[in-house]
Amino acid sequence: MSEFLTPAGLAVRLVEKTGIKLETAKSFSTVFFTIVRKGLKDSESFSVYNFGTFKKTWIEATVGLNPATGEKINIPAHWRIKFVPCAAVARRINRPYAHLKAKELPDDGPEPEIVEEDPESVLPEPIVQEEEEDDPVEKEFKESIGYDSSKGLLKKAIELSEKEDEGDEDEEQEKKPVKLFIILGLGILFLVLLLSLLLKACSTKKPAKKPEPKKTEQPVETKPVEEEVQPVQEPEISEEIAIEEEEREAALLFESYSVPSGSDYHTIAEEKYGNRHLWPILYEANKSAKPDPDLIGAYNRIKIPALLTGDAGKKQIEDGAMAAYNGYLLMCEKQPESSRNKERERLAIRVLVSGELLSPGFIDSHSKRILPEYAEMARNIVKNQYM
């Protein structure tokens, strides 16, 4: 029985398996399928390493039958998507059946007809041998060898064979003590050789060592002993103290802020940073919990990151602008039927304008990650309105 799994269901499975937040799991499942769709738009196949390959095949327009009514219908040309798992996934799925082997079945042919016959007719007729009168010479020979006509056996031959068997047993019994004596003799000989080797080893004495000449003692110069300086061990920092220090450092980087009613990222950036164009920095710090750049939610608590300076500050501005730009495009992909998508596209271009104003050259340095038509519109706005 096949199982139907929606992106929301996939997010629930991720939460159960990993324990991550539901919003993060939903964002992952949405972004994953968005990446697959974009990959299939650009090429005929899209592969995920160690998972499988999505392939699309073009199906020409054909004429088919409506399964409900049986009427002929025109099936337009379309793409058909097929998923092929990689070898590792296939082996994992087929692992419970790996011990099974193919069995060749015999060809189904016509069964032979079974004819029932009378059992008496099947049995062969007994052969009756007529007793012939023995020749006097043959009779005398049979009596000499002990032939018994009633049993059909040669008693003499049986007796002779029994006697031969008894003779063999007697010979084996006679051979057993001989073998035992041979084994004992070999054992005694081995012990004698071993004892002789031990005695020879004990008799050999080691040559006495010649006395070594005594060395003249020389006066030893006494040197002052330098005291070893032991390194001062730093006191160990407990886990609780380390956690408190991390929390204090996090407090320096982020400020917790309760969103007032009717406020958005632009007004908060104007209040905290004195520049509404810096609002993408706020979005980049809170996008995991609030993926829509236009919806924060009143009375929610958000992070207010500290503004950095120099190259770090430039990177902070550019990362925030790219995060907000991708956030608007992600919401368009996630809600393709929404009436706000036109406005989201316009706001995505305005984010690029803000990034270019705050960090000149931003659009050119990130041109590979920006749609060409959006980049051109943003450049024209900067050129015509701000220069």
Side-chain angles (χ1 to χ4, degrees):
M1 182 178 180
S2 61
E3 183 180 1
F4 183 77
L5 187 64
T6 61
L10 177 59
V12 173
R13 294 282 182 88
L14 289 173
V15 173
E16 294 174 354
K17 294 290 184 182
T18 62
I20 61 177
K21 294 182 179 180
L22 181 60
E23 294 295 330
T24 305
K26 287 181 178 179
S27 300
F28 169 78
S29 62
T30 303
V31 172
F32 174 76
F33 290 113
T34 303
I35 293 171
V36 173
R37 283 197 297 269
K38 288 185 177 180
L40 289 175
K41 285 181 181 179
D42 298 335
S43 61
E44 295 184 356
S45 64
F46 181 80
S47 299
V48 180
Y49 176 72
N50 212 17
F51 179 64
T53 302
F54 297 87
K55 296 182 179 180
K56 66 178 183 180
T57 306
W58 179 252
I59 306 300
E60 299 292 342
T62 57
V63 177
L65 294 176
N66 189 337
T69 60
E71 297 178 354
K72 291 184 177 181
I73 56 175
N74 293 323
I75 301 175
H78 60 281
W79 288 104
R80 178 178 294 171
I81 308 300
K82 182 181 179 182
F83 174 73
V84 180
C86 69
V89 175
R91 282 195 301 271
R92 186 172 181 181
I93 294 173
N94 294 322
R95 190 178 298 165
Y97 313 102
H99 64 284
L100 301 177
K101 296 182 179 179
K103 184 178 179 182
E104 185 176 356
L105 298 175
D107 296 334
D108 296 334
E111 296 182 357
E113 295 181 1
I114 300 174
V115 180
E116 296 183 358
E117 296 182 355
D118 189 4
E120 294 182 358
S121 62
V122 176
L123 295 174
E125 295 181 358
I127 301 172
V128 181
Q129 261 185 339
E130 295 182 358
E131 295 183 0
E132 297 179 355
E133 294 183 359
D134 295 335
D135 187 42
V137 180
E138 186 178 353
K139 187 176 182 181
E140 185 178 356
F141 171 74
K142 288 180 179 181
E143 290 176 357
S144 64
I145 63 174
Y147 176 75
D148 190 353
S149 60
S150 62
K151 296 181 180 179
L153 299 173
L154 294 175
K155 291 182 179 180
K156 196 80 171 181
I158 294 172
E159 291 175 0
L160 289 173
S161 63
E162 290 177 354
K163 288 180 180 181
E164 289 177 358
D165 294 338
E166 291 176 0
D168 294 338
E169 291 177 0
D170 295 338
E171 289 179 1
E172 290 179 359
Q173 291 178 0
E174 290 176 359
K175 289 178 180 178
K176 284 181 180 178
V178 176
K179 292 180 180 179
L180 183 60
F181 286 130
I182 293 172
I183 294 170
L184 289 174
L186 292 173
I188 293 169
L189 181 60
F190 176 74
L191 289 174
V192 171
L193 291 173
L194 183 61
L195 289 172
S196 63
L197 291 173
L198 290 173
L199 291 173
K200 188 180 291 185
C202 293
S203 62
T204 56
K205 295 181 179 180
K206 296 181 179 179
K209 293 183 179 179
K210 294 180 180 180
E212 296 180 357
K214 294 183 179 180
K215 296 181 180 179
T216 57
E217 296 182 357
Q218 296 178 356
V220 180
E221 296 180 359
T222 58
K223 294 181 179 180
V225 179
E226 296 181 358
E227 296 182 358
E228 295 181 357
V229 180
Q230 295 181 354
V232 179
Q233 295 182 354
E234 296 180 358
E236 296 183 357
I237 301 174
S238 64
E239 186 176 356
E240 295 180 356
I241 296 174
I243 293 173
E244 291 178 359
E245 290 182 356
E246 290 179 359
E247 291 178 353
R248 283 196 294 270
E249 291 178 358
L252 295 175
L253 296 175
F254 295 100
E255 174 191 349
S256 181
Y257 179 82
S258 179
V259 179
S261 178
S263 183
D264 56 12
Y265 284 126
H266 298 80
T267 57
I268 297 172
E270 184 72 28
E271 175 186 349
K272 293 294 181 179
Y273 299 148
N275 189 344
R276 63 188 293 108
H277 291 288
L278 293 174
W279 74 266
I281 297 177
L282 299 175
Y283 172 75
E284 202 274 335
N286 298 276
K287 65 181 180 180
S288 60
K290 300 166 180 60
D292 192 339
D294 294 333
L295 298 177
I296 310 177
Y299 309 112
N300 285 333
R301 302 198 71 83
I302 64 172
K303 298 176 183 177
I304 306 294
L307 290 179
L308 305 177
T309 58
D311 293 338
K314 181 179 180 181
K315 184 177 184 303
Q316 185 184 32
I317 292 171
E318 293 182 359
D319 290 346
M322 287 305 304
Y325 168 77
N326 290 327
Y328 280 121
L329 296 186
L330 178 62
M331 295 307 300
C332 292
E333 289 283 344
K334 190 175 180 180
Q335 301 173 359
E337 304 296 331
S338 177
S339 58
R340 298 176 55 202
N341 286 344
K342 288 291 184 183
E343 179 64 15
R344 285 169 175 164
E345 292 177 359
R346 186 187 70 81
L347 293 174
I349 298 171
R350 298 299 303 183
V351 168
L352 299 178
V353 172
S354 298
E356 184 67 23
L357 293 174
L358 295 171
S359 177
F362 160 73
I363 296 175
D364 292 335
S365 61
H366 295 81
S367 59
K368 293 182 179 180
R369 300 169 58 189
I370 301 172
L371 294 175
E373 56 270 24
Y374 287 8
E376 188 63 27
M377 291 179 185
R379 288 193 188 96
N380 292 333
I381 293 173
V382 172
K383 183 178 179 180
N384 296 328
Q385 296 183 12
Y386 297 96
M387 291 186 178

